[in-house]
Amino acid sequence: MIAFHEITAQELYEKLRNIRIGGNVCQYSLKKCEELTLLVNEIQRLKVEKNAVILVHSYANPEIVYGVADFVGDSYKLSRDAINTHAKTIVFVAVRFMGETAKILNPEKEVLIPARDPGCTLADSITADDVNRLRVQYPDHTFICYVNTSVEVKAECDICVTSANVYQIVQKIPNDKIYFLPDKFMGMNLVNEMKRRMIDKTIHFWSGSCYVHEEYTREQIFKVRSEYPDAKIVSHPECNEGVVANSDFVGGTEQMLDYMRKSPAKQFLMLTECGLSSRLQSEFPDKELVGSCTLCKYMKSNSLEDILGALKNPQPRQVVTIPEAIRQRAAKSLEAMFMYAGQGSTSVKKTCE
Ligand code: 13P
Ligand code: SF4
């Protein structure tokens, strides 16, 4: 058996000590890290024993990101990591639609979702029956689904996109009639971005929203700009158009981190889930986080205990199963995404800096 590196409480504490968000949930003392390390090392041992790999979205709790993750990132990066893994089992620490994406791409592997509440207000806003009705209403449109959708919805759509490639892919699609689902804010941002790029497309969109990102307002940005004039405002395309229009940079979560990494600025307001702010505090200690952030209760419903339980003896609700006929049709929309996403970037560098 391959040996695993046993992490010490001090090593874990070094990664978590600067994190100051999320109230009591995400604040770490050396004593707390001593307790967490017992669970972390038990998970690491079982992971090797069971030939498992742990994929973790950046929004998960920091002790998971820095304690047990083999891969951390946004939904696009993790879907690529899921394709490349040789492990027998994938533990996906995120929400249901991300675990389903890993299963669509790896039908022969066991995929586990440890979360107690793996929902998502976007994915839960639309069903396959809704898409079929829309298909009748908009027969000559190309149906683009955001990755935040169920496998059944993906199976009824033509092309899947993520926040990291939505603009780039829609721009490349030959059809000028697009139906985008399920995010109304991302849909509006898509309309605005295509206009800005002078791409002539008729875009209709569904009415879903992310309950985390819809909280952010442009007034919040004005307030932060007046208090911290040098701060860079970085937002996710699930935010509304007023937020996007007043941000310095808009992109998927990995692109937001990359922007920060390369920016000479010292202060940032991150308009996305608090997990990204935690990563900023842990990985960029010389940069300052200003303003506040919002937690996603679904992403935060993953704990080290849940991961350990899933590895030891998964409950039926933690094991992803997909009927083969649906999986194959959903796989086509993901394959189309990988094909279109071949080159280029979707992030928007604002001209206001
Ligand atoms: P990313 O695609 O940026 O990972 O975002 C997924 C998500 O759920 C954002 O709320
Ligand atoms: Fe869904 Fe919003 Fe949570 Fe992302 S942050 S998983 S879009 S509810």
Side-chain angles (χ1 to χ4, degrees):
M1 194 189 301
I2 307 163
F4 71 95
H5 167 69
E6 194 153 323
I7 191 169
T8 65
Q10 187 64 40
E11 281 170 330
L12 188 60
Y13 180 58
E14 290 307 321
K15 292 180 180 159
L16 300 173
R17 63 188 300 170
N18 291 326
I19 297 173
R20 290 276 172 277
I21 52 157
N24 291 333
V25 186
C26 298
Q27 285 192 14
Y28 301 91
S29 60
L30 184 54
K31 185 161 182 339
K32 184 165 170 181
C33 290
E34 279 163 10
E35 289 159 21
L36 292 171
T37 310
L38 299 175
L39 280 167
V40 165
N41 285 324
E42 179 64 358
I43 291 169
Q44 297 287 29
R45 189 189 62 73
L46 262 181
K47 192 170 77 178
V48 173
E49 190 184 303
K50 304 234 159 161
N51 188 10
V53 67
I54 303 185
L55 271 47
V56 180
H57 193 272
S58 292
Y59 295 170
N61 286 316
E63 67 269 23
I64 301 177
V65 171
Y66 295 107
V68 299
D70 294 300
F71 298 96
V72 183
D74 64 7
S75 52
Y76 186 69
K77 177 185 177 296
L78 292 175
S79 65
R80 304 286 332 180
D81 294 334
I83 294 178
N84 295 328
T85 178
H86 296 293
K88 203 165 111 304
T89 296
I90 296 173
V91 182
F92 214 124
V93 185
V95 289
R96 185 179 299 109
F97 75 82
M98 292 193 194
E100 284 180 351
T101 303
K103 184 70 180 178
I104 295 167
L105 299 169
N106 295 279
E108 75 296 350
K109 294 190 200 300
E110 177 182 49
V111 177
L112 304 174
I113 309 175
R116 269 157 291 126
D117 187 4
C120 165
T121 58
L122 275 175
D124 298 340
S125 73
I126 190 161
T127 65
D129 285 347
D130 293 325
V131 182
N132 286 327
R133 274 191 294 275
L134 291 165
R135 284 260 191 207
V136 174
Q137 210 179 329
Y138 298 96
D140 49 0
H141 285 53
T142 297
F143 273 67
I144 313 283
C145 58
Y146 188 32
V147 71
N148 296 41
T149 44
S150 67
V151 60
E152 291 83 5
V153 166
K154 286 186 180 74
E156 301 305 330
C157 291
D158 301 307
I159 307 172
C160 182
V161 295
T162 75
S163 58
N165 55 37
V166 52
Y167 301 140
Q168 170 204 349
I169 289 181
V170 173
Q171 175 169 350
K172 284 186 192 167
I173 289 168
N175 192 352
D176 59 3
K177 296 190 186 69
I178 303 289
Y179 195 100
F180 176 76
L181 59 93
D183 189 343
K184 65 178 174 189
F185 295 124
M186 198 180 273
M188 198 62 229
N189 293 330
L190 184 55
V191 169
N192 293 337
E193 183 59 19
M194 289 305 109
K195 268 193 207 137
R196 197 186 68 83
R197 294 184 185 197
M198 291 188 288
I199 307 288
D200 189 17
K201 295 217 186 274
T202 306
I203 303 177
H204 296 277
F205 47 85
W206 188 246
S207 53
S209 61
C210 163
Y211 88 107
V212 171
H213 292 89
E214 74 183 352
E215 287 292 302
Y216 299 123
T217 62
R218 62 185 183 163
E219 286 69 27
Q220 217 175 327
I221 296 180
F222 299 153
K223 188 164 176 289
V224 166
R225 284 214 193 273
S226 68
E227 286 170 29
Y228 306 96
D230 296 330
K232 294 291 175 201
I233 315 292
V234 187
S235 68
H236 194 277
E238 289 171 18
C239 295
N240 69 48
E241 58 178 325
V243 168
V244 164
N246 287 287
S247 298
D248 296 302
F249 181 83
V250 184
T253 46
E254 244 354 78
Q255 294 163 329
M256 292 169 83
L257 277 179
D258 201 45
Y259 172 79
M260 247 172 20
R261 194 175 284 125
K262 292 176 181 154
S263 169
K266 288 284 173 220
Q267 295 173 320
F268 296 86
L269 170 65
M270 307 295 290
L271 293 174
T272 189
E273 209 272 346
C274 294
L276 220 62
S277 306
S278 312
R279 286 194 63 187
L280 180 147
Q281 291 182 318
S282 175
E283 294 169 34
F284 307 92
D286 59 325
K287 309 214 179 213
E288 187 193 348
L289 184 69
V290 299
S292 58
C293 58
T294 313
L295 296 166
C296 172
K297 65 176 177 179
Y298 305 111
M299 287 285 189
K300 295 303 199 246
S301 79
N302 287 284
S303 66
L304 289 174
E305 285 85 354
D306 298 319
I307 298 170
L308 188 58
L311 272 171
K312 269 189 183 158
N313 184 21
Q315 297 168 33
R317 66 167 177 82
Q318 295 177 315
V319 183
V320 183
T321 52
I322 302 175
E324 183 56 14
I326 294 180
R327 188 200 69 77
Q328 282 185 15
R329 290 172 58 222
K332 289 208 175 94
S333 71
L334 288 173
E335 282 155 17
M337 169 173 82
F338 293 128
M339 198 264 291
Y340 274 107
Q343 326 97 14
S345 153
T346 194
S347 56
V348 184
K349 187 88 188 267
K350 291 306 193 67
T351 48
C352 49
E353 58 173 38

